[in-house]
Amino acid sequence: MNCRDALRLLFDVVDNEASESEIKKVREHIQSCEKCAARYEMEQKFKKCIEKKGKFSPECEKLRDKITQQLDDIDPGSGGADLFPSPLN
Amino acid sequence: MADRKPIVYRQRFEKEAMVHIDALMRTARRMTKSDTDAEDLVQETMLKAYRFFDKFEEGTNCKAWLFKIMTNIFINNYRSKSKAPQSLTFDDIDDSFLFGQLAKNKEMSDPEKEFFSKIFDKDVRKAIDELPEDFRMVVILSFIEGFAYQEIADITDLQIGTVKSRLHRGRKLLQKALFDYARRSGFIKEPLN
């Protein structure tokens, strides 16, 4: 594999879409090519950075309650406490 | 009510679908850029999903199924009505723009490390928000939610080739935007040409 082929597969590999054999060939190439190795490393870091910093945990407790309430309204008796009727009753 | 769903239907929905509210909300927020619209979108998505939950094939990817419903509603009801032609010059951006800029920065000992450790979360989110909508969607689905190309194609009703090219352009734009933020914040120096 030459640099051109290695770069053609760059994003498939980074995005986890490349086949086993493609990954193997790329790995062989970057072991002997510093420039391609550096590029692969940077693109992988970039992707991880976006995932880590772009991913936030939204506050959705209220929304969850609201949706649960709406499901209860659509289907009364399908959720909530009615699922577990008290054995004492 | 005549068409009341059986209890197991609701239980299955709670177990398989409700757990994805966080991911839906996170993506809805990035798609609509508004907390109120995002909540409305997720709510609409969940109610529709509940109504059609018998169409969901057990054992398949519920998250992807929910995202498809949400994306449809978003495209039909929330997408900015005036789709102004996007006069962006992203094709001018070199494929290896960020790599090149970081590599030729000889004034810093490890510009790449500086870049990735110092870039702010808020700048990453802002850069995503500022992507043109078509690119933003695939970037979020791939980078943030971790869907595969084929899953993104199914969710967005696009050809897999279109998904790849939008992702490619989206990635370039994101790299350019973040590099500009880094330079403005001053932790990456302008390389001397």
Side-chain angles (χ1 to χ4, degrees), chain A:
Chain A
M1 179 174 277
N2 57 28
C3 295
R4 221 186 122 197
D5 292 334
L7 289 181
R8 198 175 43 79
L9 286 170
L10 175 63
F11 297 116
D12 281 353
V13 173
V14 170
D15 291 337
N16 218 0
E17 299 275 347
S19 68
E20 285 291 326
S21 69
E22 285 171 332
I23 293 170
K24 191 168 167 269
K25 280 183 212 148
V26 167
R27 199 175 287 142
E28 277 163 16
H29 174 75
I30 63 178
Q31 267 166 4
S32 58
C33 177
E34 225 173 274
K35 185 140 197 241
C36 286
R39 179 75 196 277
Y40 264 80
E41 202 189 328
M42 199 238 49
E43 294 294 349
Q44 261 157 350
K45 275 191 202 157
F46 181 79
K47 181 156 179 164
K48 273 200 198 111
C49 167
I50 299 298
E51 189 192 346
K52 193 169 144 242
K53 303 195 176 193
K55 198 171 194 164
F56 69 107
S57 296
E59 179 50 64
C60 10
E61 272 321 297
K62 275 190 197 145
L63 178 65
R64 193 185 304 272
D65 291 348
K66 209 165 147 191
I67 291 169
T68 302
Q69 184 58 52
Q70 277 169 326
L71 296 183
D72 288 345
D73 292 345
I74 299 168
D75 271 340
S78 69
D82 288 347
L83 283 175
F84 307 102
S86 164
L88 297 175
N89 288 339

Side-chain angles (χ1 to χ4, degrees), chain B residues 11-190:
Chain B
Q11 283 175 321
R12 237 188 90 214
F13 187 79
E14 299 264 352
K15 194 169 142 258
E16 297 195 40
M18 291 294 274
V19 292
H20 297 297
I21 285 186
D22 286 36
L24 289 166
M25 188 58 194
R26 177 167 61 215
T27 296
R29 176 62 195 73
R30 296 264 87 76
M31 279 175 168
T32 62
K33 303 189 205 176
S34 143
D35 288 333
T36 326
D37 283 353
E39 286 207 2
D40 289 349
L41 176 57
V42 173
Q43 205 173 314
E44 216 177 308
T45 302
M46 292 308 281
L47 293 179
K48 191 168 182 187
Y50 184 67
R51 207 154 10 108
F52 293 102
F53 196 52
D54 47 357
K55 302 268 189 299
F56 169 68
E57 278 176 56
E58 205 159 353
T60 61
N61 188 340
C62 191
K63 185 179 170 188
W65 184 74
L66 292 168
F67 269 71
K68 187 175 172 64
I69 294 173
M70 183 163 84
T71 306
N72 269 325
I73 298 175
F74 174 74
I75 289 171
N76 292 328
N77 304 348
Y78 290 80
R79 210 215 286 258
S80 36
K81 297 284 178 274
S82 60
K83 265 206 101 192
Q86 288 160 348
S87 57
L88 274 155
T89 54
F90 47 80
D91 287 325
D92 300 349
I93 307 169
D94 185 80
D95 236 22
S96 56
F97 169 80
L98 181 63
F99 179 69
Q101 294 292 309
L102 294 176
K104 73 180 176 191
N105 200 318
K106 303 283 183 240
E107 284 175 66
M108 303 171 71
S109 66
D110 193 349
E112 216 176 277
K113 193 175 161 212
E114 284 287 298
F115 179 82
F116 288 117
S117 65
K118 292 204 175 150
I119 199 91
F120 295 114
D121 295 17
K122 70 172 170 54
D123 284 342
V124 170
R125 286 171 208 165
K126 190 158 170 269
I128 294 173
D129 282 353
E130 283 173 356
L131 287 174
E133 197 171 280
D134 290 343
F135 304 139
R136 194 166 76 238
M137 193 106 86
V138 292
V139 164
I140 295 166
L141 294 174
S142 168
F143 280 53
I144 311 287
E145 299 304 333
F147 286 114
Y149 293 167
Q150 187 57 56
E151 288 173 323
I152 299 173
D154 293 341
I155 289 169
T156 54
D157 271 331
L158 294 168
Q159 300 283 330
I160 200 159
T162 311
V163 169
K164 281 176 80 164
S165 78
R166 286 188 185 180
L167 198 53
H168 186 68
R169 288 165 170 185
R171 183 167 357 224
K172 278 206 286 188
L173 284 173
L174 209 50
Q175 292 192 342
K176 174 84 169 64
L178 288 174
F179 183 75
D180 289 345
Y181 287 144
R183 224 170 37 186
R184 244 176 283 148
S185 306
F187 58 83
I188 289 290
K189 296 196 182 71
E190 178 110 43

